[in-house]
Amino acid sequence: GAVVSQHPSRVICKSGTSVKIECRSLDFQATTMFWYRQFPKQSLMLMATSNEGSKATYEQGVEKDKFLINHASLTLSTLTVTSAHPEDSSFYICSAGDRRNQPQHFGDGTRLSIL
Amino acid sequence: KQEVTQIPAALSVPEGENLVLNCSFTDSAIYNLQWFRQDPGKGLTSLLLIQSSQREQTSGRLNASLDKSSGRSTLYIAASQPGDSATYLCAVHDSSGGGADGLTFGKGTHLIIQP
């Protein structure tokens, strides 16, 4: 079945570092991918919709200059957390679906810890 | 704005019991509803997807129902096993955004099956 690969799975870095997370659809093309964030004991919250070949659409309250999204090809979307701070520590997860009425497939997530 | 609520937040039962997890959503204009499983520190595994026109879906020991008009879904797990221990998430795909929107998640039900 369709698979989404996310890398890296774990990042620990110092405050002020920029961190890039990759999300790849392995056996299907995804014109749209989604990025979520999950704080401890909270729901997954949609951060942004990544659109191939155009600008990402950000949810209210998500800083687009802080969370840079690039969707340069039909199989790859990247999320860059720029100048990360401890409050950005969270679990980030991406998803993609090859068809609207089919299940979204999720990556394994990236646990980001900013010291 | 769509809100998804899951009850109970946590559940611990002995192995072999049948159990029901509940999900409710505030806006009935949905494309579909999806149940996921999340193991600690891991990504999401899709369990069942119910289209808005469907009433239920079954996969093995899992059965999910959908009552769109009342904004409710249940996930029934038969003959529970310790391996079923995980957090179960309910998510809806809104139809108001033309299908390009991400999912709205509940906070999940943390399930423990005692051996």
Side-chain angles (χ1 to χ4, degrees), chain A residues 30-86:
Chain A
T31 56
T32 303
M33 291 184 176
F34 301 97
W35 288 96
Y36 298 84
R37 179 169 55 184
Q38 185 180 30
F39 291 109
K41 298 184 179 180
Q42 298 295 317
S43 308
L44 274 83
M45 297 296 293
L46 179 65
M47 298 175 64
T49 303
S50 174
N51 305 299
E52 188 271 334
S54 65
K55 292 182 179 180
T57 304
Y58 290 82
E59 295 299 300
Q60 190 173 8
V62 178
E63 301 174 57
K64 62 180 181 181
D65 295 329
K66 173 76 171 178
F67 300 98
L68 301 180
I69 291 174
N70 183 279
H71 195 153
S73 77
L74 287 170
T75 59
L76 174 65
S77 174
T78 61
L79 168 68
T80 300
V81 183
T82 62
S83 187
H85 293 285

